[in-house]
Amino acid sequence: MKPFAVFPLHKKHDLVQVESFEHSRFLAGGTNLVDLMKHQIESPDQIIDLSGFEQAYDITDSEQQVTIGTMVSNTELADYAYQQPGLSLLSQALLAGATVQLRNRATTGGNLLQRTRCYYFYDTTRPCNKRKPGSGCAAINGFNRNHAILGTSEHCIASHPSDMATAMTALDATVHTCNANGETRQIPVRELYRLPGDTPHIETHLGADELITAVSIDKTPRGTHIYQKVRDRSSYAFALVSVACTMQVKDGIISDINLAFGGVGSQPWHAQAAEEYLRGKSATTELFEHAADVELSSAKGSGYNDFKIPMLKRTLVHVLTQASEHQNQHPEHEGAIYAR
Amino acid sequence: MSSITINGQTHALPDDPRTTLLDFMHQHLQLFGAKKGCDHGQCGACTVLVDGERMNSCLLLTFQLAEKSVTTIEGLSNGEELHPLQQAFIDNDAFQCGFCTSGQICSGVAAQQELKKNRPSTLWFDPNHTKTEDLKERLSGNLCRCGAYPHIIDAVSSTDDSQEVK
């Protein structure tokens, strides 16, 4: 790991005192960044340490929304969201990711900004446009089993690995930020990320001096929640394919639907085309299959990940079937399907 | 000066901010109970408790842990008197080479506390899960290359006095 200076941030207005954001990184829990620094994939000159960012450790609950501080751990958020049916999709997704040790340390803001687990991004002996712009992409013609099929470009096919961000995309969460001038803004998480295009090293719309301070989620009835993750082993593995879904069915008609996919997109994938196709229609298997085809019309495999296209279709149809059957049987149901 | 407490003893934080908690314990304090397996947060051999919560000490930069209290495998026993889970590992023959054991035990102790606090696992959304499967899920962050998992699960189950998960 290369030497670095430490700037301790205690409140968001301390950002104004940071002399330069070039070659700086915000450090929250460090479960991803510290690892990347060990590999020297990240080698910041300065760490802006958020461990003392005291305003950012709370979850606040108002009538309209829940606001989650950026330093709230994945464990704390999963526990909280488990108790709130309206947020339970988030709990199901968080608990499907990583291990307890990592979730105890990983944070809300950090989870959103974690980097891809593309093997070639991690292998510093191989070209990678995300790690070293302009060097090429070893994954496109390489072993690309865990790579994306949606939103890719000829320069990068890396997938976004987060389960939490996939659920937040389905729940239409809002990211709150602050920059060094004290300016704040609110960005829908669905608009936080950038497609790779020819600049895959630029992953979000955040400025270099812009800090995520919190994430908020509106309290809206969304019906039945399901997070379905498919992976190579049943615990502690990234998604090959995941589907986050909330669905309301009234008199057999899909009145409201939110869909996001994990493991398959260059970013947590908001399945907007499928949502629009499904909304207001009668819930049938045929409809679900067509919705999958609509969303997957732009999907592109790169060889070893071709299987993700039919796998995503089957997973989506399964989830939509399960959610609509549950809504038909329990029209007032809100939240995940709990086992106990 | 900022300090960190490890097994009840207070230490000044290391000067070099690159020092992980695992390296601090090994190289500064001669505490070798937590093991360096992968050094990338994948194997769990370095698991310790930070303010009672289990974490991978290889991914923790020590400078971020000012005023925190850490418990390692060395801090679980009371002198020569073993922690009940340490004794259960012996009674259940729950280790072979022993390299992962200190992480497994720290993780198991924390898992039992988490069950008592009624913390959910992903299997709490699966109506068909069993208590053993739930425990396996909770311990999945600790790898054992000898494959002693069945006995590890037996050991942790034998000292588990939490309420039935199902």
Coordinates of all heavy atoms in Angstrom, one line a residue, chain B residues 18-88:
Chain B
R18 N -1.3 3.2 7.4 CA -1.5 2.0 6.5 C -1.6 0.7 7.3 O -2.0 -0.3 6.8 CB -0.4 1.9 5.5 CG -0.3 3.0 4.5 CD 0.9 2.8 3.6 NE 2.2 3.0 4.4 CZ 3.4 2.9 3.9 NH1 3.5 2.5 2.7 NH2 4.4 3.1 4.7
T19 N -1.3 0.8 8.6 CA -1.3 -0.4 9.4 C -2.7 -1.0 9.7 O -3.5 -0.3 10.3 CB -0.7 -0.1 10.8 OG1 0.5 0.7 10.6 CG2 -0.3 -1.3 11.6
T20 N -2.9 -2.2 9.2 CA -4.2 -2.8 9.5 C -4.2 -3.3 10.9 O -3.2 -3.5 11.5 CB -4.5 -4.0 8.6 OG1 -3.5 -5.0 8.8 CG2 -4.5 -3.6 7.1
L21 N -5.4 -3.5 11.5 CA -5.5 -4.0 12.8 C -4.8 -5.3 12.9 O -4.1 -5.6 13.9 CB -7.0 -4.1 13.2 CG -7.3 -4.8 14.6 CD1 -6.6 -3.9 15.7 CD2 -8.8 -4.9 14.8
L22 N -4.9 -6.2 11.9 CA -4.3 -7.5 11.9 C -2.8 -7.3 12.0 O -2.1 -8.0 12.8 CB -4.7 -8.3 10.7 CG -4.1 -9.7 10.6 CD1 -4.5 -10.6 11.8 CD2 -4.5 -10.4 9.3
D23 N -2.2 -6.4 11.2 CA -0.8 -6.2 11.2 C -0.3 -5.6 12.5 O 0.8 -5.9 13.1 CB -0.3 -5.4 10.0 CG -0.3 -6.2 8.7 OD1 -0.4 -7.4 8.8 OD2 -0.4 -5.6 7.6
F24 N -1.1 -4.7 13.0 CA -0.8 -4.0 14.3 C -0.7 -5.1 15.4 O 0.2 -5.1 16.2 CB -1.9 -3.0 14.6 CG -1.7 -2.2 15.9 CD1 -0.6 -1.4 16.1 CD2 -2.6 -2.3 16.9 CE1 -0.4 -0.7 17.2 CE2 -2.5 -1.5 18.1 CZ -1.3 -0.7 18.2
M25 N -1.7 -6.0 15.4 CA -1.7 -7.0 16.5 C -0.4 -8.0 16.3 O 0.2 -8.3 17.3 CB -3.0 -7.8 16.4 CG -4.2 -7.0 16.8 SD -5.7 -7.9 17.0 CE -5.9 -8.7 15.4
H26 N -0.2 -8.3 15.1 CA 1.0 -9.2 14.8 C 2.3 -8.6 15.1 O 3.2 -9.1 15.8 CB 0.9 -9.7 13.4 CG -0.1 -10.8 13.1 ND1 -0.1 -11.6 12.0 CD2 -1.1 -11.3 13.9 CE1 -1.1 -12.5 12.0 NE2 -1.7 -12.3 13.2
Q27 N 2.5 -7.4 14.5 CA 3.8 -6.8 14.4 C 4.2 -5.9 15.5 O 5.3 -5.7 15.8 CB 4.0 -6.1 13.0 CG 4.0 -7.1 11.9 CD 4.0 -6.5 10.5 OE1 4.3 -5.3 10.4 NE2 3.6 -7.2 9.5
H28 N 3.1 -5.3 16.2 CA 3.4 -4.4 17.3 C 3.1 -5.0 18.6 O 3.7 -4.6 19.6 CB 2.5 -3.1 17.1 CG 2.8 -2.3 15.9 ND1 3.1 -1.0 15.9 CD2 2.9 -2.7 14.6 CE1 3.3 -0.5 14.7 NE2 3.2 -1.5 13.9
L29 N 2.1 -5.9 18.7 CA 1.7 -6.4 20.0 C 2.0 -7.9 20.2 O 1.7 -8.4 21.3 CB 0.2 -6.2 20.1 CG -0.3 -4.7 19.9 CD1 -1.8 -4.7 20.1 CD2 0.4 -3.8 20.8
Q30 N 2.6 -8.6 19.2 CA 2.9 -10.0 19.3 C 1.6 -10.8 19.7 O 1.7 -11.8 20.4 CB 3.9 -10.2 20.4 CG 5.2 -9.5 20.1 CD 6.0 -10.0 18.9 OE1 6.3 -11.1 18.8 NE2 6.1 -9.1 17.9
L31 N 0.5 -10.4 19.2 CA -0.8 -11.1 19.4 C -1.0 -11.9 18.1 O -1.5 -11.3 17.1 CB -1.9 -10.2 19.7 CG -2.1 -9.6 21.1 CD1 -3.3 -8.6 21.1 CD2 -2.4 -10.7 22.1
F32 N -0.8 -13.2 18.1 CA -0.9 -13.9 16.8 C -2.1 -14.8 16.7 O -2.2 -15.7 15.9 CB 0.4 -14.7 16.6 CG 1.6 -13.9 16.4 CD1 2.6 -13.7 17.4 CD2 1.8 -13.3 15.1 CE1 3.7 -12.9 17.1 CE2 2.9 -12.5 14.9 CZ 3.9 -12.3 15.9
G33 N -3.0 -14.6 17.6 CA -4.2 -15.5 17.6 C -5.0 -15.3 16.3 O -5.4 -16.3 15.7
A34 N -5.4 -14.1 16.0 CA -6.0 -13.8 14.7 C -5.0 -14.1 13.6 O -3.9 -13.7 13.6 CB -6.5 -12.4 14.6
K35 N -5.5 -14.9 12.6 CA -4.5 -15.4 11.5 C -4.7 -14.6 10.2 O -5.8 -14.1 9.9 CB -4.8 -16.8 11.3 CG -4.6 -17.7 12.4 CD -3.1 -17.8 12.8 CE -2.8 -18.8 13.9 NZ -3.3 -18.4 15.2
K36 N -3.6 -14.5 9.5 CA -3.6 -13.9 8.2 C -3.8 -15.0 7.1 O -2.8 -15.7 6.9 CB -2.4 -13.0 7.9 CG -2.5 -12.3 6.6 CD -1.2 -11.4 6.3 CE -1.3 -10.1 7.1 NZ -0.2 -9.2 6.7
G37 N -5.0 -15.2 6.6 CA -5.2 -16.2 5.6 C -5.1 -15.6 4.2 O -4.0 -15.8 3.6
C38 N -6.1 -14.8 3.8 CA -6.0 -14.2 2.5 C -5.6 -12.8 2.5 O -5.1 -12.3 1.5 CB -7.4 -14.3 1.9 SG -8.7 -13.3 2.7
D39 N -5.8 -12.1 3.6 CA -5.5 -10.7 3.8 C -6.4 -9.8 2.9 O -6.0 -8.7 2.6 CB -4.0 -10.4 3.5 CG -3.5 -9.1 4.2 OD1 -4.1 -8.8 5.3 OD2 -2.5 -8.5 3.8
H40 N -7.5 -10.3 2.4 CA -8.4 -9.6 1.5 C -9.9 -9.7 2.0 O -10.8 -9.5 1.2 CB -8.2 -10.0 0.1 CG -6.9 -9.6 -0.5 ND1 -6.6 -8.4 -0.8 CD2 -5.8 -10.4 -0.7 CE1 -5.3 -8.3 -1.3 NE2 -4.8 -9.5 -1.2
G41 N -10.1 -10.1 3.2 CA -11.5 -10.1 3.7 C -12.3 -11.3 3.1 O -13.5 -11.2 3.1
Q42 N -11.7 -12.3 2.6 CA -12.4 -13.4 2.0 C -12.5 -14.7 2.8 O -13.4 -15.5 2.7 CB -11.8 -13.7 0.6 CG -11.9 -12.6 -0.3 CD -11.1 -12.8 -1.6 OE1 -10.6 -13.9 -1.9 NE2 -11.1 -11.8 -2.5
C43 N -11.5 -14.9 3.8 CA -11.5 -16.2 4.4 C -11.9 -16.1 5.9 O -12.3 -17.2 6.4 CB -10.0 -16.7 4.4 SG -8.9 -15.9 5.5
G44 N -11.9 -15.0 6.5 CA -12.4 -14.9 7.9 C -11.5 -15.3 9.0 O -11.8 -15.3 10.2
A45 N -10.2 -15.8 8.6 CA -9.3 -16.3 9.6 C -8.9 -15.2 10.6 O -8.4 -15.4 11.7 CB -8.1 -16.9 9.0
C46 N -9.0 -13.9 10.2 CA -8.6 -12.8 11.0 C -9.7 -12.2 11.8 O -9.6 -11.1 12.4 CB -8.0 -11.7 10.1 SG -9.2 -11.0 9.0
T47 N -10.9 -12.9 11.9 CA -12.0 -12.3 12.5 C -11.8 -12.0 14.0 O -11.3 -12.8 14.8 CB -13.2 -13.3 12.4 OG1 -13.5 -13.5 11.1 CG2 -14.5 -12.7 13.1
V48 N -12.1 -10.7 14.4 CA -12.1 -10.3 15.8 C -13.4 -9.6 16.1 O -14.2 -9.3 15.2 CB -10.9 -9.3 16.0 CG1 -9.6 -10.0 15.8 CG2 -11.0 -8.1 15.2
L49 N -13.6 -9.2 17.3 CA -14.8 -8.5 17.7 C -14.4 -7.0 18.0 O -13.5 -6.8 18.8 CB -15.4 -9.1 19.0 CG -15.7 -10.6 18.9 CD1 -16.3 -11.1 20.2 CD2 -16.6 -11.0 17.8
V50 N -15.1 -6.1 17.3 CA -14.8 -4.7 17.6 C -16.1 -4.1 18.2 O -17.2 -4.1 17.6 CB -14.5 -3.9 16.2 CG1 -14.3 -2.5 16.5 CG2 -13.3 -4.5 15.5
D51 N -16.0 -3.7 19.5 CA -17.2 -3.3 20.2 C -18.2 -4.4 20.1 O -19.4 -4.1 20.0 CB -17.7 -1.9 19.8 CG -16.8 -0.8 20.2 OD1 -15.9 -1.0 21.1 OD2 -17.0 0.3 19.7
G52 N -17.8 -5.6 20.2 CA -18.7 -6.8 20.2 C -19.2 -7.3 18.8 O -19.8 -8.3 18.7
E53 N -18.8 -6.5 17.8 CA -19.3 -6.9 16.4 C -18.1 -7.5 15.7 O -17.0 -7.0 15.6 CB -19.8 -5.7 15.6 CG -20.9 -4.9 16.3 CD -22.2 -5.5 16.2 OE1 -22.4 -6.6 15.6 OE2 -23.2 -5.0 16.9
R54 N -18.4 -8.7 15.0 CA -17.3 -9.4 14.3 C -16.9 -8.7 13.0 O -17.8 -8.2 12.3 CB -17.6 -10.8 14.1 CG -19.0 -11.1 13.4 CD -19.2 -12.5 13.2 NE -20.6 -12.8 13.0 CZ -21.1 -13.9 12.4 NH1 -20.3 -14.7 11.8 NH2 -22.4 -14.1 12.3
M55 N -15.6 -8.6 12.8 CA -15.1 -7.9 11.6 C -13.8 -8.6 11.1 O -13.2 -9.3 11.9 CB -14.8 -6.4 11.9 CG -16.1 -5.6 12.2 SD -15.7 -3.9 12.4 CE -17.4 -3.3 12.9
N56 N -13.5 -8.4 9.9 CA -12.2 -8.9 9.3 C -11.1 -7.9 9.7 O -11.1 -6.8 9.1 CB -12.3 -9.1 7.8 CG -13.5 -9.9 7.3 OD1 -14.5 -9.4 6.8 ND2 -13.4 -11.2 7.6
S57 N -10.2 -8.3 10.6 CA -9.2 -7.3 11.0 C -8.2 -7.0 9.9 O -7.6 -5.9 10.0 CB -8.5 -7.8 12.3 OG -7.8 -9.0 12.0
C58 N -8.1 -7.8 8.9 CA -7.2 -7.5 7.8 C -7.7 -6.3 6.9 O -6.9 -5.7 6.2 CB -7.0 -8.7 6.9 SG -8.4 -9.1 5.8
L59 N -9.0 -5.9 7.0 CA -9.5 -4.8 6.2 C -9.7 -3.6 7.0 O -10.2 -2.6 6.5 CB -10.8 -5.2 5.5 CG -10.8 -6.3 4.4 CD1 -12.2 -6.5 3.9 CD2 -9.8 -5.8 3.3
L60 N -9.4 -3.6 8.3 CA -9.6 -2.4 9.2 C -8.3 -1.7 9.3 O -7.2 -2.2 9.7 CB -10.0 -2.9 10.6 CG -11.3 -3.7 10.7 CD1 -11.4 -4.3 12.1 CD2 -12.5 -2.7 10.4
L61 N -8.3 -0.4 8.9 CA -7.1 0.4 9.1 C -7.2 0.9 10.6 O -8.2 1.5 11.0 CB -7.1 1.6 8.1 CG -6.8 1.2 6.7 CD1 -6.8 2.4 5.8 CD2 -5.5 0.4 6.5
T62 N -6.1 0.7 11.3 CA -6.2 0.9 12.8 C -6.5 2.3 13.2 O -7.2 2.6 14.1 CB -4.9 0.4 13.4 OG1 -4.5 -0.9 12.9 CG2 -5.0 0.3 15.0
F63 N -6.0 3.2 12.3 CA -6.3 4.7 12.7 C -7.8 5.0 12.7 O -8.2 6.0 13.4 CB -5.5 5.6 11.7 CG -6.2 5.9 10.4 CD1 -7.1 6.9 10.3 CD2 -5.9 5.1 9.3 CE1 -7.8 7.1 9.1 CE2 -6.5 5.4 8.1 CZ -7.4 6.4 8.0
Q64 N -8.6 4.2 12.1 CA -10.0 4.5 12.1 C -10.7 3.9 13.4 O -11.9 4.1 13.6 CB -10.7 3.8 10.9 CG -10.4 4.5 9.6 CD -11.5 4.1 8.5 OE1 -11.6 2.9 8.2 NE2 -12.2 5.0 8.0
L65 N -9.9 3.2 14.2 CA -10.6 2.6 15.4 C -10.3 3.2 16.7 O -10.2 2.6 17.8 CB -10.1 1.1 15.4 CG -10.3 0.3 14.2 CD1 -9.7 -1.1 14.3 CD2 -11.8 0.2 13.9
A66 N -10.0 4.6 16.7 CA -9.8 5.3 17.9 C -10.9 5.1 18.9 O -12.1 5.2 18.5 CB -9.6 6.8 17.6
E67 N -10.5 4.8 20.1 CA -11.5 4.6 21.2 C -12.3 3.3 21.1 O -13.3 3.2 21.9 CB -12.4 5.8 21.5 CG -11.6 7.2 21.4 CD -10.4 7.2 22.2 OE1 -10.3 6.6 23.3 OE2 -9.4 7.9 21.7
K68 N -12.0 2.5 20.2 CA -12.8 1.2 20.1 C -12.2 0.2 21.0 O -11.0 0.2 21.3 CB -12.7 0.7 18.6 CG -13.3 1.7 17.6 CD -14.8 1.6 17.6 CE -15.4 2.4 16.5 NZ -16.9 2.6 16.6
S69 N -13.0 -0.8 21.3 CA -12.5 -1.9 22.1 C -12.6 -3.2 21.3 O -13.6 -3.6 20.8 CB -13.4 -2.0 23.3 OG -13.0 -3.1 24.1
V70 N -11.4 -3.9 21.2 CA -11.3 -5.1 20.4 C -11.1 -6.3 21.3 O -10.4 -6.3 22.3 CB -10.1 -5.0 19.4 CG1 -9.9 -6.2 18.6 CG2 -10.3 -3.8 18.5
T71 N -11.8 -7.4 20.9 CA -11.6 -8.7 21.6 C -11.1 -9.7 20.6 O -11.8 -9.9 19.5 CB -12.9 -9.2 22.3 OG1 -13.3 -8.2 23.2 CG2 -12.6 -10.5 23.1
T72 N -10.0 -10.3 20.9 CA -9.5 -11.4 20.0 C -9.7 -12.7 20.7 O -10.1 -12.8 21.8 CB -8.0 -11.1 19.7 OG1 -7.2 -11.4 20.9 CG2 -7.7 -9.7 19.3
I73 N -9.2 -13.8 20.0 CA -9.3 -15.1 20.6 C -8.6 -15.1 21.9 O -9.0 -15.8 22.9 CB -8.7 -16.2 19.6 CG1 -9.0 -17.6 20.1 CG2 -7.3 -16.0 19.4 CD1 -10.4 -18.0 20.0
E74 N -7.5 -14.4 22.1 CA -6.7 -14.3 23.3 C -7.6 -13.7 24.5 O -7.3 -14.0 25.6 CB -5.4 -13.5 23.2 CG -4.4 -14.2 22.3 CD -4.4 -13.6 20.8 OE1 -5.5 -13.2 20.4 OE2 -3.4 -13.7 20.2
G75 N -8.5 -12.9 24.1 CA -9.3 -12.2 25.1 C -10.6 -13.0 25.5 O -11.4 -12.5 26.4
L76 N -10.9 -14.1 24.8 CA -12.1 -14.8 25.1 C -12.0 -15.7 26.4 O -13.0 -15.8 27.1 CB -12.5 -15.7 23.9 CG -13.1 -15.0 22.7 CD1 -13.4 -16.1 21.6 CD2 -14.4 -14.2 23.0
S77 N -10.9 -16.3 26.6 CA -10.7 -17.1 27.8 C -10.5 -16.3 29.0 O -10.1 -15.1 28.9 CB -9.6 -18.1 27.5 OG -8.4 -17.4 27.3
N78 N -10.8 -16.9 30.1 CA -10.5 -16.2 31.4 C -9.3 -16.9 32.0 O -9.4 -17.9 32.7 CB -11.8 -16.4 32.3 CG -11.6 -15.7 33.6 OD1 -10.7 -14.9 33.8 ND2 -12.5 -16.0 34.6
G79 N -8.1 -16.4 31.7 CA -6.9 -17.1 32.1 C -6.8 -18.5 31.5 O -6.9 -18.6 30.3
E80 N -6.7 -19.5 32.3 CA -6.6 -20.9 31.8 C -8.0 -21.5 31.5 O -8.1 -22.5 31.0 CB -5.9 -21.8 32.8 CG -4.4 -21.4 33.0 CD -3.6 -21.6 31.7 OE1 -3.6 -22.7 31.2 OE2 -3.0 -20.7 31.2
E81 N -9.0 -20.7 32.0 CA -10.4 -21.2 31.8 C -10.9 -20.9 30.4 O -11.0 -19.7 30.1 CB -11.2 -20.6 32.9 CG -12.6 -21.2 33.0 CD -13.5 -20.4 33.9 OE1 -13.0 -19.7 34.8 OE2 -14.7 -20.3 33.7
L82 N -11.2 -21.9 29.6 CA -11.6 -21.6 28.3 C -13.0 -21.1 28.2 O -13.8 -21.3 29.0 CB -11.5 -22.9 27.4 CG -10.1 -23.6 27.3 CD1 -10.3 -24.8 26.4 CD2 -9.2 -22.6 26.6
H83 N -13.2 -20.3 27.1 CA -14.6 -19.9 26.8 C -15.4 -21.1 26.4 O -14.8 -22.1 25.9 CB -14.5 -18.9 25.6 CG -15.9 -18.3 25.2 ND1 -16.8 -19.0 24.5 CD2 -16.4 -17.1 25.5 CE1 -17.9 -18.2 24.3 NE2 -17.6 -17.1 24.9
P84 N -16.7 -21.2 26.8 CA -17.5 -22.4 26.5 C -17.4 -22.8 25.0 O -17.3 -24.0 24.7 CB -18.9 -22.0 26.8 CG -18.7 -20.9 27.8 CD -17.5 -20.2 27.5
L85 N -17.2 -21.9 24.1 CA -17.2 -22.3 22.7 C -15.8 -22.8 22.4 O -15.7 -23.8 21.5 CB -17.5 -21.1 21.8 CG -17.7 -21.5 20.3 CD1 -18.7 -22.6 20.1 CD2 -18.0 -20.3 19.4
Q86 N -14.7 -22.4 23.0 CA -13.4 -23.0 22.9 C -13.5 -24.4 23.3 O -13.0 -25.3 22.6 CB -12.4 -22.2 23.7 CG -12.1 -20.8 23.1 CD -11.1 -20.0 23.9 OE1 -11.3 -19.8 25.1 NE2 -10.0 -19.6 23.3
Q87 N -14.1 -24.7 24.5 CA -14.2 -26.0 25.0 C -15.0 -26.9 24.0 O -14.7 -28.1 23.8 CB -14.8 -26.0 26.4 CG -14.8 -27.4 27.1 CD -13.4 -27.9 27.3 OE1 -12.5 -27.2 27.8 NE2 -13.2 -29.1 26.9
A88 N -16.1 -26.3 23.5 CA -16.9 -27.0 22.6 C -16.2 -27.4 21.3 O -16.4 -28.5 20.7 CB -18.2 -26.2 22.2

